[in-house]
Amino acid sequence: GTLDIAGVVGPVGGVREKTRAAIAAGYDVLLGPAAETAATQRLADGRIDVIGVTTLDEAIDRLRRRR
């Protein structure tokens, strides 16, 4: 995916492959662009928590709250 200088999260290519890889690796959470959350959740089918974010700061905050 992309992250601009202001910390804004951009689109991700290969969402299907990246979701499958995260599940196969045993990850319990997958962060991605908020605009792609619904599609990623469908692909994950409950096997991994999918969190959509719009900025790097939001991503860090959401991960910290998972502790």
Side-chain angles (χ1 to χ4, degrees):
T2 62
L3 184 65
D4 74 15
I5 192 134
V8 176
V9 175
V12 171
V15 172
R16 177 181 306 273
E17 294 81 4
K18 291 173 182 170
T19 302
R20 287 181 179 164
I23 292 166
Y27 295 161
D28 61 348
V29 64
L30 178 63
L31 295 173
E36 298 179 33
T37 303
T40 306
Q41 286 174 330
R42 282 191 301 277
L43 290 167
D45 195 29
R47 296 171 288 175
I48 191 170
D49 288 337
V50 176
I51 299 175
V53 295
T54 57
T55 66
L56 177 59
D57 287 339
E58 181 183 6
I60 293 167
D61 180 59
R62 297 290 299 271
L63 287 174
R64 285 183 175 151
R65 285 191 277 153
R66 286 183 53 85
R67 293 184 184 180

